[in-house]
Amino acid sequence: MKGGSGVAEPPVIVERVDDADKEKKKKRRSNRRSKHNSACNSGSEARGETSDGFKSEDKTKSLTSMNCSSSKQGLEMASNEQTPVRASDVGFTSMPTMHINERVSFGCDDTAVDVGETISNSCPEPIAYAGSSPFHQFEGFARKKLFATHWPIEAVNEALEKGEVFKALFRVNAHNRLEAYCKIDGVPTDVLVSGISSQNRAVEGDIVVIKVDPLGLWTKMKGSSGSSNNSTLVEDCNIVQEVNGVADNSYKGKGMVDADFEYGNGRSGVPLEKSFYDGTQVTREVAHNHVNGHRQYGLECSHAGLLPGQNDGINSVDMLAAMISRYPLKRPTAKVVAIVEKSLRRNAIVGFLNVKQWFSYRDLNRKDAKKNSAIFDHEYVTLTPTDPRFPKMTVFVRDLPDSIKRRLADGDVTIEMELLAAQIEDWSAESPSPRACVTRSFGRGSELETQINAILYENAIHCADFPPHVFSCLPSTPWEIPPKEFQTRKDLRDLCVFTIDPSTASDLDDALSIEKLTNDTFRVGVHIADVSYFVLPNTALDVEAQIRSTSVYLLQKKIQMLPSLLSEELGSLNPGVDRLAFSMFWELNRTGDVFDRWIGRTVISSCCKLSYKHAQDIIQGITDLEKSNTLEGLPQLHGKFEWADVIRSVNCLHEISKTLKEKRFSDGALQLESPKVVYLFDEDGVPYDSSLSERMDSNFLVEEFMLLANMTAAEVISRAFPNGALLRRHPEPNMRKLKEFEAFCRKHCLALDTSSSSQLQQSLEKLREKLKDDSVLFDILISYASKPMQLASYFCSGDLKDNLNDWVHYGLAVPLYTHFTSPLRRYPDIVVHRTLAAVIEAEELYMKHRRVLKGNNGEEVSRKCFTGIYFDKEAAESPQGKDALSNAALKHGIPSPELLGDVAAYCNERKLASRHAEDACEKLYMWFLLKRREILLSDARVLGLGPRFMSVYIQKLAIERRIYYDEVEGLTVEWLESTSTLVLSLSCHKRLFKSGGPGNYMSLGNAAWVVNPYVLSMETDSTDDCNATCMVRGEVEPTSKSWVDPGTFPLTVRMLSTIPVALYAIGGDDGPLEIGVRLYMSSYLK
């Protein structure tokens, strides 16, 4: 027989026997294969990209009875001989992908099976059977549902009102796509949605409606079973998988264990009940212990949610929170019943096509001209997303772009090396995977520009050139400040103002100044580019800025929110030119107490552009006051000022900033800061080296005054417009995770108090001093402390007017905060500028109505009724005050509270997308650095440890990675549960197959790079470590002595141990980019 891959199978001779002999043979076969049956079944459940075409016509038959040992229900050849074929034969045959809708009948036997029911680890896709057309779609039959039907909107709304369901954001675990979590406001613990069936076609970023399971089906909280597995990431467990689940989202053989290997190896498969297949109500569910991998079964119960609207008057969220509080060791689970808002990520999928199997099928049928001519109309290929949170997708060949179809017709296998853009078009209840449409190709996956373009596309970063109608909103150049602006603004061109920015910065939106009033008092000024003067509300420029929302910085590339004509010239506070600014002045003493302030629009002229290095040299005294006129390396100085003026100002600002910082931390502010990786680039923009960089005193100098300006702006706009101010909040951290961090420190004899942000900061400072000789461990602690923290976000004050406690910024420990200081690169700052301008104008209008008494004191108080330290609430609530504020808001285009809430939500989404893009770009440059170096040897600290994998922290690159070592050929793993100790030893015993089911062990090179000590001793001082390609296979020895010494077997590992590792680049042309990590070991047994 010929399978889809062209592998010939020997014919099977079938003897005629009587019924008694048949029964005896069936029993013998059953006994021989009893162990193999469960492995086959569980393997099929885990692999799951199945066709629903092979179904029994007899609806009363349970699908789970069709196991690998059933000869009557086995697979038969679709040929004239009607010769049956053993399921195990097919299971280990590599064949092309079966079409998701294919159906084949078996002669006189009325039975049928699901495609992919018998599979092995050697076949990552559903199996195609002999005589079938692996890529052909047969129509005209009813397909059985694999997923529950989504509820209609009417039912959803009714259930939401009754509190029977909850609306939440759907987030997928990047390490295991079968785990997803939903955060319900007011509930302290995220709700687990485990398994493809429960996720019900939801994907990362969807807004879903979930129905919480009964308490008996909740799982144990990770780490709550008493196990000493200290892994803080995804625990050692195998997830129960439905037959329609897709576990594998990664590429095999690339040094990292994908979900297919991790969870689909037959060790934890559970026979599935009929309800998973026929869509009926589940009467018995399988819960799973995510710590030790054991299954737990709930009691017989209906598929009703936990909170079916019982107990009128009790809020369902409060009831769920109370239930979680009562059972703290259990995590609530749920099922998705509806998708109310589809994620924008559905339209921005990036991945690789898998076409080799399609080529194999085409070659087998090349002689059949009629069949070959219909290939493009009926066939499909698979797209594997680079983001592991998304499932594999089906792409019909007929829907591919013409350029790709032509290359398919020409047999161009390099298509698999190209990174493609795709969109999810549909995911029906009958299909195990979503259907996608490829829209474009970015190019070869190993090229830098290709990856950057894919990152921008994936995060919907608007990077096209600005259209002409946007530039029409800007004044023509050369441009000068109109004379009328000098009449309405304060002229500060005679003030010593300067900027402090990174040396490469071109958009300068903040400047500083300081004046000494008396021996103990100073006037500090912060001057921000007046971008709102140029970006008027509802203009084409305003719309474009709002769409982009933020500038995106990709190390070697900047995607600007505003045209460079504005951000780098007209609006930028460049030295030696007059510029429009929004200024704040504070009069304060040496202890940081502010006793007066002024806010208004100004005209300034910066005297110089200092870099952080320049300012740091001044602070440290490297730039000497007496020698500054002859010192090289300083920037050009403009205007009437001398370097003595600038140096004096920088030093004075530094002293005050230290006072403000101390005061801020004494009030409870928190600082979680880790070293940052800085890359060095060659002339082609490719990184060739990296180093760790920490912030300097000059960075903190600027930061303190920017924070002061932002807090002042928040105070002013929220008092004047209590329902219409754009603010920024930072919620309290996840207290459960914070307590886990506290327990982790306590276990390692490190004192930590997490009762408040102030206590946490004080504890970390004490630990910094205690661990001054172990900076790596302190960096690890900072990394751990950051994980419970939630994201800060913009919000409209009117949306939380009844919950003022939710306005606070936890990290800064302040009740009010916003963004005001970066309008050239953040749209929310422009909105805040307009709001401030409205408050200032309303204050002036109110002054005219009141006709205040003349005189300095009276005039000063009246002028500052809205912007001063003391807010005149009576004036703001008076009819004249309300009219003034309302008219000013209308004039300056302040959005209504309803619209402002939408603006805040959109800006949050764009800021998060830009952060993801910037993080992905950093990983990209790290990957290219490792690709260039081939191998990077380093010490690593063990963060998490268990019987299957460890997570390690590599300080050199400031990253965390995993090393998997279970089921590795030649490696013996001994896990000592009582002491959380791991012992790895080399073994001479060869094991080709896993004991729990079909499939090979990983090679030793997947877990460790083992070198020969004799070769190491004979090394020279050559700088080349080895050849990367051979290293990936584990076949070469290093050619140079590294400062990192390899470990030896047996290797004993404990939490926070230091171990040697080898880092290398994975993927590029053959899969997603990944940074691989292996143990770096030496042994004569290699």
Side-chain angles (χ1 to χ4, degrees):
M1 148 180 144
K2 286 188 179 296
S5 63
V7 180
E9 295 287 348
V12 180
I13 305 299
V14 182
E15 299 179 1
R16 292 184 176 273
V17 293
D18 57 26
D19 293 341
D21 290 336
K22 286 183 179 179
E23 292 299 319
K24 291 180 181 179
K25 288 187 176 182
K26 286 177 66 177
K27 290 181 179 179
R28 286 197 296 269
R29 284 195 296 269
S30 176
N31 291 334
R32 286 196 301 269
R33 302 183 192 174
S34 60
K35 293 183 179 181
H36 180 60
N37 290 344
S38 60
C40 292
N41 280 336
S42 58
S44 67
E45 293 156 7
R47 298 281 180 173
E49 287 187 17
T50 61
S51 167
D52 204 43
F54 289 87
K55 296 291 181 183
S56 173
E57 297 297 331
D58 183 3
K59 301 297 183 181
T60 64
K61 294 182 179 180
S62 171
L63 189 61
T64 57
S65 68
M66 297 192 300
N67 52 43
C68 300
S69 65
S70 177
S71 60
K72 184 175 180 179
Q73 296 177 350
L75 306 175
E76 300 179 345
M77 295 178 60
S79 63
N80 293 333
E81 288 86 4
Q82 295 287 322
T83 306
V85 178
R86 292 175 302 166
S88 58
D89 292 335
V90 179
F92 288 94
T93 303
S94 178
M95 296 182 179
T97 309
M98 183 67 186
H99 196 284
I100 56 176
N101 294 331
E102 185 168 4
R103 180 181 177 86
V104 175
S105 298
F106 295 103
C108 60
D109 193 352
D110 291 335
T111 62
V113 297
D114 274 4
V115 175
E117 178 64 15
T118 306
I119 62 177
S120 73
N121 285 341
S122 64
C123 185
E125 304 293 341
I127 300 301
Y129 299 100
S132 68
S133 177
F135 296 92
H136 186 70
Q137 179 182 12
F138 291 90
E139 307 290 349
F141 64 93
R143 292 186 294 167
K144 199 172 274 189
K145 288 184 177 180
L146 300 176
F147 298 98
T149 302
H150 287 150
W151 290 8
I153 189 63
E154 296 81 6
V156 167
N157 290 335
E158 182 179 353
L160 285 171
E161 289 184 6
K162 294 180 178 180
E164 297 175 348
V165 296
F166 303 92
K167 187 163 70 171
L169 179 64
F170 189 81
R171 290 296 189 192
V172 179
N173 184 348
H175 292 286
N176 175 19
R177 195 178 58 78
L178 296 179
E179 281 187 353
Y181 295 89
C182 290
K183 170 65 177 175
I184 301 173
D185 291 338
V187 177
T189 302
D190 291 347
V191 178
L192 172 67
V193 184
S194 180
I196 301 298
S197 178
S198 295
Q199 293 174 6
N200 198 4
R201 296 166 284 161
V203 300
E204 169 70 18
D206 283 348
I207 304 297
V208 300
V209 174
I210 58 174
K211 190 178 184 71
V212 178
D213 293 330
L215 178 64
L217 299 182
W218 290 12
T219 67
K220 283 188 177 181
M221 193 71 72
K222 292 181 181 180
S224 65
S225 65
S227 171
S228 58
N229 187 345
N230 293 305
S231 176
T232 60
L233 300 176
V234 178
E235 276 71 5
D236 278 316
C237 65
N238 293 316
I239 305 300
V240 177
Q241 301 180 13
E242 289 80 354
V243 71
N244 56 329
V246 184
D248 52 316
N249 284 303
S250 305
Y251 288 79
K252 297 182 177 181
K254 306 302 177 186
M256 66 182 216
V257 180
D258 57 22
D260 197 25
F261 173 85
E262 186 175 353
Y263 302 111
N265 52 24
R267 289 180 293 174
S268 64
V270 180
L272 301 175
E273 302 188 28
K274 184 177 179 182
S275 57
F276 279 97
Y277 298 91
D278 60 16
T280 58
Q281 279 195 333
V282 178
T283 58
R284 188 164 177 260
E285 288 283 358
V286 179
H288 193 272
N289 185 332
H290 290 267
V291 176
N292 54 30
H294 298 310
R295 300 189 299 274
Q296 299 174 323
Y297 291 87
L299 300 175
E300 293 287 326
C301 58
S302 65
H303 189 49
L306 173 71
L307 307 164
Q310 68 270 43
N311 296 333
D312 292 341
I314 300 180
N315 184 285
S316 58
V317 173
D318 294 339
M319 185 179 296
L320 178 58
M323 187 72 73
I324 293 173
S325 178
R326 184 177 179 184
Y327 299 95
L329 300 184
K330 283 183 171 289
R331 179 183 290 280
T333 59
K335 293 176 176 58
V336 174
V337 298
I339 301 173
V340 295
E341 184 179 336
K342 293 184 177 180
S343 169
L344 295 176
R345 285 296 311 277
R346 289 172 173 259
N347 299 324
I349 302 297
V350 173
F352 292 88
L353 282 181
N354 306 320
V355 299
K356 290 179 180 177
Q357 289 184 329
W358 186 90
F359 281 133
S360 299
Y361 169 73
R362 188 193 64 169
D363 293 341
L364 286 173
N365 295 275
R366 189 177 293 277
K367 295 181 180 180
D368 191 341
K370 184 177 181 180
K371 181 181 293 185
N372 199 43
S373 64
I375 285 180
F376 284 169
D377 291 332
H378 301 284
E379 320 310 343
Y380 76 93
V381 290
T382 303
L383 182 136
T384 303
T386 57
D387 189 334
R389 296 173 297 179
F390 288 88
K392 283 188 175 181
M393 302 174 187
T394 299
V395 179
F396 285 103
V397 175
R398 63 172 181 260
D399 295 334
L400 289 170
D402 292 339
S403 59
I404 296 181
K405 285 195 287 188
R406 286 194 296 269
R407 293 173 62 184
L408 281 177
D410 294 338
D412 186 357
V413 295
T414 62
I415 294 175
E416 287 199 342
M417 299 181 181
E418 294 193 2
L419 208 53
L420 304 177
Q423 299 176 347
I424 297 178
E425 291 195 332
D426 181 47
W427 193 349
S428 65
E430 297 80 15
S431 175
S433 61
R435 179 170 60 87
C437 175
V438 173
T439 58
R440 58 175 287 200
S441 171
F442 296 108
R444 292 286 291 266
S446 60
E447 296 178 359
L448 181 62
E449 193 64 26
T450 293
Q451 290 288 344
I452 289 178
N453 290 335
I455 289 172
L456 296 176
Y457 173 85
E458 196 171 27
N459 292 282
I461 305 298
H462 196 75
C463 55
D465 293 337
F466 290 92
H469 63 275
V470 169
F471 288 97
S472 65
C473 301
L474 295 173
S476 58
T477 55
W479 175 81
E480 293 183 355
I481 298 176
K484 66 176 182 180
E485 292 301 320
F486 290 97
Q487 300 174 7
T488 58
R489 295 172 179 262
K490 180 174 287 190
D491 191 346
L492 301 177
R493 289 178 293 175
D494 290 334
L495 186 63
C496 182
V497 177
F498 49 86
T499 60
I500 304 177
D501 288 282
S503 59
T504 57
S506 57
D507 47 353
L508 313 180
D509 46 17
D510 59 85
L512 294 168
S513 67
I514 186 169
E515 302 168 87
K516 188 173 182 179
L517 303 180
T518 67
N519 288 335
D520 295 323
T521 59
F522 302 86
R523 181 184 292 126
V524 174
V526 167
H527 314 275
I528 307 301
D530 191 358
V531 180
S532 61
Y533 172 84
F534 299 97
V535 185
L536 299 178
N538 303 319
T539 60
L541 179 59
D542 181 50
V543 172
E544 185 71 19
Q546 186 172 348
I547 291 174
R548 299 184 179 227
S549 184
T550 181
S551 294
V552 183
Y553 297 87
L554 305 180
L555 296 183
Q556 289 290 90
K557 185 175 184 177
K558 179 173 66 174
I559 313 299
Q560 299 185 116
M561 182 185 75
L562 297 170
S564 57
L565 174 61
L566 175 57
S567 62
E568 297 179 3
E569 296 183 42
L570 302 177
S572 181
L573 304 182
N574 298 328
V577 293
D578 296 346
R579 287 292 180 256
L580 301 177
F582 223 127
S583 299
M584 289 186 180
F585 286 99
W586 301 270
E587 293 184 10
L588 69 172
N589 55 29
R590 292 185 181 274
T591 60
D593 298 323
V594 177
F595 51 85
D596 199 4
R597 71 181 178 214
W598 180 90
I599 304 172
R601 285 178 143 163
T602 60
V603 179
I604 68 169
S605 180
S606 173
C607 67
C608 66
K609 174 190 173 184
L610 294 176
S611 68
Y612 285 118
K613 181 64 167 56
H614 293 145
Q616 187 66 25
D617 288 345
I618 293 174
I619 292 171
Q620 294 180 342
I622 298 175
T623 302
D624 189 86
L625 182 62
E626 297 179 355
K627 300 179 181 179
S628 60
N629 290 328
T630 59
L631 191 65
E632 296 182 358
L634 290 174
Q636 181 180 358
L637 194 63
H638 299 268
K640 64 179 183 179
F641 302 101
E642 299 179 355
W643 276 113
D645 301 317
V646 177
I647 293 173
R648 190 181 303 110
S649 296
V650 170
N651 284 322
C652 193
L653 286 170
H654 172 58
E655 293 301 320
I656 295 176
S657 70
K658 289 195 301 181
T659 301
L660 292 176
K661 184 179 178 180
E662 292 172 2
K663 189 174 182 179
R664 193 162 55 83
F665 282 109
S666 66
D667 291 339
L670 180 64
Q671 180 177 314
L672 302 175
E673 195 168 292
S674 300
K676 182 179 178 61
V677 179
V678 178
Y679 297 95
L680 300 177
F681 298 90
D682 60 19
E683 61 275 6
D684 297 323
V686 178
Y688 65 87
D689 202 357
S690 67
S691 63
L692 293 179
S693 174
E694 294 186 356
R695 293 205 296 168
M696 302 176 290
D697 289 338
S698 56
N699 297 92
F700 295 116
L701 181 158
V702 176
E703 180 183 70
E704 285 305 316
F705 294 111
M706 297 304 111
L707 290 174
L708 182 59
N710 287 333
M711 290 185 285
T712 301
E715 180 185 331
V716 172
I717 65 174
S718 63
R719 294 190 307 189
F721 298 104
N723 294 327
L726 182 61
L727 303 177
R728 189 162 176 82
R729 60 188 291 261
H730 183 211
E732 290 187 348
N734 184 310
M735 299 311 296
R736 179 182 62 83
K737 293 181 180 180
L738 201 57
K739 290 299 180 183
E740 290 175 358
F741 172 49
E742 187 175 7
F744 170 85
C745 291
R746 185 167 55 250
K747 182 176 181 179
H748 293 88
C749 302
L750 300 172
L752 189 75
D753 185 351
T754 61
S755 59
S756 66
S757 60
S758 177
Q759 292 300 319
L760 178 58
Q761 178 65 31
Q762 292 179 27
S763 298
L764 291 175
E765 286 301 318
K766 292 178 181 178
L767 289 177
R768 184 194 298 273
E769 179 63 25
K770 181 178 180 179
L771 301 175
K772 58 184 178 182
D773 296 328
D774 192 352
S775 60
V776 178
L777 179 54
F778 185 74
D779 289 344
I780 291 173
L781 294 179
I782 292 296
S783 176
Y784 270 129
S786 301
K787 291 179 180 179
M789 300 300 158
Q790 301 192 58
L791 294 176
S793 60
Y794 299 108
F795 71 100
C796 173
S797 57
D799 292 340
L800 296 176
K801 60 183 178 181
D802 297 327
N803 301 286
L804 298 183
N805 291 334
D806 292 338
W807 292 24
V808 301
H809 195 291
Y810 175 84
L812 297 175
V814 294
L816 295 168
Y817 192 69
T818 193
H819 276 163
F820 162 77
T821 56
S822 298
L824 289 174
R825 60 184 180 90
R826 291 189 305 228
Y827 187 78
D829 299 57
I830 297 178
V831 175
V832 172
H833 275 230
R834 292 172 181 166
T835 310
L836 266 179
V839 175
I840 294 171
E841 183 159 329
E843 192 173 58
E844 295 174 353
L845 291 173
Y846 181 76
M847 278 282 298
K848 293 179 181 179
H849 286 293
R850 288 290 302 269
R851 296 181 181 176
V852 295
L853 297 175
K854 292 184 179 181
N856 289 337
N857 292 335
E859 185 178 352
E860 194 71 13
V861 172
S862 300
R863 184 186 305 148
K864 294 183 179 180
C865 58
F866 296 159
T867 63
I869 292 179
Y870 303 102
F871 179 69
D872 191 342
K873 185 176 181 180
E874 182 179 347
E877 294 180 351
S878 67
Q880 296 86 355
K882 289 181 178 179
D883 288 343
L885 289 167
S886 177
N887 293 334
L890 187 63
K891 176 182 176 180
H892 290 273
I894 309 303
S896 65
E898 295 78 14
L899 181 58
L900 189 59
D902 295 337
V903 171
Y906 179 76
C907 290
N908 288 331
E909 188 270 327
R910 288 292 81 207
K911 186 172 181 65
L912 188 60
S914 69
R915 176 180 172 181
H916 289 162
E918 291 166 1
D919 291 345
C921 187
E922 287 205 19
K923 177 183 174 182
L924 172 64
Y925 282 111
M926 191 178 296
W927 185 90
F928 272 94
L929 175 63
L930 291 175
K931 190 75 171 178
R932 183 169 183 162
R933 285 195 172 188
E934 298 179 345
I935 295 177
L936 178 64
L937 301 178
S938 175
D939 283 329
R941 295 291 285 269
V942 178
L943 298 182
L945 197 60
R948 294 182 57 243
F949 66 85
M950 69 175 75
S951 57
V952 297
Y953 175 79
I954 301 98
Q955 187 193 32
K956 186 176 292 186
L957 297 178
I959 59 173
E960 296 180 22
R961 284 296 180 271
R962 289 181 175 185
I963 301 175
Y964 291 84
Y965 37 73
D966 68 322
E967 297 187 339
V968 174
E969 178 60 35
L971 192 65
T972 301
V973 179
E974 185 178 3
W975 171 246
L976 307 178
E977 186 77 22
S978 59
T979 59
S980 298
T981 303
L982 175 74
V983 180
L984 299 177
S985 306
L986 284 182
S987 171
C988 297
H989 178 65
K990 298 291 184 181
R991 297 174 296 178
L992 297 180
F993 297 98
K994 303 173 187 176
S995 59
N1000 295 329
Y1001 278 82
M1002 288 194 304
S1003 66
L1004 179 61
N1006 285 334
W1009 181 32
V1010 184
V1011 298
N1012 192 302
Y1014 176 76
V1015 176
L1016 283 176
S1017 65
M1018 300 296 292
E1019 284 182 337
T1020 65
D1021 293 332
S1022 172
T1023 57
D1024 295 330
D1025 287 324
C1026 72
N1027 179 273
T1029 303
C1030 296
M1031 192 286 300
V1032 171
R1033 299 172 183 167
E1035 299 175 351
V1036 301
E1037 313 295 345
T1039 59
S1040 67
K1041 176 67 177 175
S1042 170
W1043 66 273
V1044 177
D1045 294 322
T1048 57
F1049 291 106
L1051 178 67
T1052 301
V1053 184
R1054 298 180 178 85
M1055 281 291 294
L1056 301 180
S1057 295
T1058 299
I1059 59 174
V1061 297
L1063 296 95
Y1064 55 96
I1066 301 173
D1069 283 339
D1070 54 353
L1073 305 186
E1074 190 54 67
I1075 296 171
V1077 180
R1078 301 178 187 181
L1079 297 172
Y1080 175 42
M1081 308 294 293
S1082 67
S1083 174
Y1084 287 105
L1085 297 178
K1086 183 182 183 305

